[in-house]
Amino acid sequence: GLNGDLRAVRGALAMALAASRDGHTLILPTVSSGEAARVTHASVLGASTLLQVAAHIAGRDALSTPQVDPVAEAVAMADLLDVKGQAQAKRALEIAAAGRHSLLMVGPPGTGKSMLAQRLPGILPPMTEREAVDSAALLSLVGKFNPAAFGQRPIRTPHHTASAVALVGGGSDPRPGEISLAHHGVLFLDEIVEFDRRV
């Protein structure tokens, strides 16, 4: 800001990943530093103003290492146990989850395809620490990182009117698309035949 205050930034977690790989220390606004501190072995410092950064560089006042944002109560996920009947469909979901296969569900409206797809992340194996950080870093780039959902597999459900850029990524200010945001999770393309052929 014009008064020297440091404002929140998008992609703090992704920046911390890159800085830790290169062995650099990363100075971030205090409000974003807790997110970046989730990266193991990252050297992250938090500052509220540009004057604090200058004092740290000059050796007058050392910046503090931020604490990892506390994990809020976990976001409740839809559970496959809630589905009554549908034995064949549930078995297909289990097989797809176990082998990390793609799945195409076909049937008339109201037969439970969307309901089943929403429950797929809940039966996937737990994320490793590395997978959780990778997924969170991508979500951080678009400002959708949620500390309460850290370690849970994402499910992305773009609308069939989504553009190619929204789905694949890019744009004048390049950002990841829905395909990337579903990394290590589920990309659910409901009404897939309604998507534009080019998309």
Side-chain angles (χ1 to χ4, degrees):
L2 293 175
N3 61 353
D5 287 345
L6 300 182
R7 299 178 182 158
V9 295
R10 267 192 349 256
L13 210 149
M15 287 185 255
L17 269 174
S20 70
R21 287 181 191 137
D22 295 340
H24 297 299
T25 297
L26 184 64
I27 300 175
L28 286 169
T30 305
V31 292
S32 301
S33 60
E35 177 183 319
R38 287 192 178 277
V39 178
T40 313
H41 307 302
S43 176
V44 179
L45 300 173
S48 299
T49 66
L50 201 54
L51 284 175
Q52 290 178 340
V53 176
H56 174 79
I57 292 171
R60 291 193 303 271
D61 288 321
L63 293 173
S64 61
T65 303
Q67 297 299 314
V68 175
D69 286 338
V71 176
E73 188 174 325
V75 176
M77 295 180 67
D79 195 337
L80 195 60
L81 287 173
D82 299 335
V83 180
K84 305 301 180 204
Q86 302 269 17
Q88 285 182 317
K90 290 196 284 190
R91 180 70 178 140
L93 277 181
E94 292 165 356
I95 292 168
R100 307 255 178 121
H101 302 299
S102 296
L103 188 63
L104 177 64
M105 291 187 273
V106 180
T111 54
K113 301 181 300 294
S114 297
M115 175 186 63
L116 288 163
Q118 294 289 340
R119 284 154 174 75
L120 183 56
I123 62 172
L124 288 168
M127 292 179 100
T128 64
E129 182 70 21
R130 181 67 188 180
E131 287 176 337
V133 169
D134 286 347
S135 176
L138 285 164
L139 293 168
S140 172
L141 288 171
V142 293
K144 295 188 180 187
F145 171 70
N146 178 5
F150 183 77
Q152 290 184 351
R153 294 194 183 274
I155 180 163
R156 304 297 300 179
T157 56
H159 194 261
H160 61 79
T161 58
S163 67
V165 170
L167 203 62
V168 177
S172 56
D173 177 20
R175 293 192 187 179
E178 293 292 335
I179 294 170
S180 297
L181 296 177
H183 189 52
H184 296 307
V186 174
L187 177 65
F188 176 44
L189 302 177
D190 197 14
E191 302 293 346
I192 193 169
V193 294
E194 299 293 332
F195 279 79
D196 186 282
R197 288 177 66 94
R198 290 169 298 176
V199 173

